Amino acid sequence: MSEINMVVNGRKVSGNVEDRTLLVHYLRENLGLTGTHVGCDTSQCGACVVHVDGKAVKSCTMLAAQASGSEVLTIEGLAATAGADLHPVQAAFKEHHGLQCGFCTPGMIMTTVDMIARHPEGLDEKTVRHELEGNICRCTGYHNIVKAVLAASQAMGKGSKGTAKAA
Ligand code: FES
Ligand code: FES
């Protein structure tokens, strides 16, 4: 067992976990933060993306013990970082219909927030599609997701170097 301490969505949490406990399972099962999904458990789908110390991480690839001492942000805490009911990326996904079943959406949104932060020069469609390679969506065909990401980048003042072409 390991004793862990971290800040999750602005709240200090601590406890004992088995050494093999993955961060995603700690978030979902110990903290009840089930907005972070498990689609594969083999680091392929991206449904489990959260931020650890500000960087997007697939939380099925990290042990909870490895995240001890870190600040973790999940989809449940995202809107509060913008001081709004919805973070601008969530609002853009809603407006541009960037989801269908919604299973991939928390991971897509957490990846997108990190992507926009790393591209202050703005984003183009090619970059967005490349950056989303680690996030799998079985429903949408990605087109509206790409539109949502470009719109969110613009809404957050990062600019966009193009809009997604019609499918
Ligand atoms: S559950 Fe983590 S990448 Fe699929
Ligand atoms: S909206 Fe269903 S998996 Fe992406």
Side-chain angles (χ1 to χ4, degrees):
M1 297 286 275
S2 299
E3 185 180 344
I4 60 172
N5 299 278
M6 62 183 86
V7 175
V8 179
N9 298 336
R11 184 171 67 96
K12 284 185 184 172
V13 297
S14 59
N16 292 304
V17 295
E18 286 189 48
D19 293 340
R20 63 180 180 171
T21 302
L22 296 172
L23 178 60
V24 67
H25 293 142
Y26 179 68
L27 294 171
R28 288 177 57 83
E29 291 160 25
N30 293 60
L31 303 184
L33 296 170
T34 53
T36 301
H37 293 161
V38 181
C40 66
D41 241 351
T42 53
S43 78
Q44 293 173 47
C45 75
C48 64
V49 172
V50 300
H51 292 184
V52 176
D53 292 333
K55 294 200 171 97
V57 169
K58 289 180 173 174
S59 59
C60 76
T61 66
M62 188 173 199
L63 296 168
Q66 289 176 298
S68 188
S70 299
E71 291 206 18
V72 176
L73 180 68
T74 73
I75 193 71
E76 288 92 343
L78 182 63
T81 67
D85 288 342
L86 290 178
H87 185 278
V89 174
Q90 291 172 305
F93 270 67
K94 182 179 176 192
E95 186 180 337
H96 294 274
H97 308 289
L99 62 145
Q100 288 182 21
C101 80
F103 192 84
C104 70
T105 311
M108 286 282 183
I109 287 175
M110 298 309 285
T111 295
T112 298
V113 173
D114 176 74
M115 182 197 318
I116 291 172
R118 286 185 291 99
H119 289 278
E121 77 284 6
L123 288 163
D124 57 29
E125 181 175 350
K126 190 173 165 202
T127 304
V128 172
R129 288 186 182 276
H130 176 69
E131 292 263 354
L132 288 179
E133 279 178 1
N135 292 74
I136 294 171
C137 176
R138 295 175 60 167
C139 305
T140 64
Y142 298 92
H143 183 64
N144 284 358
I145 290 175
V146 174
K147 279 207 298 195
V149 174
L150 292 172
S153 177
Q154 282 193 317
M156 293 172 72
K158 304 287 187 180
S160 162
K161 295 188 275 184
T163 53
K165 296 183 198 78

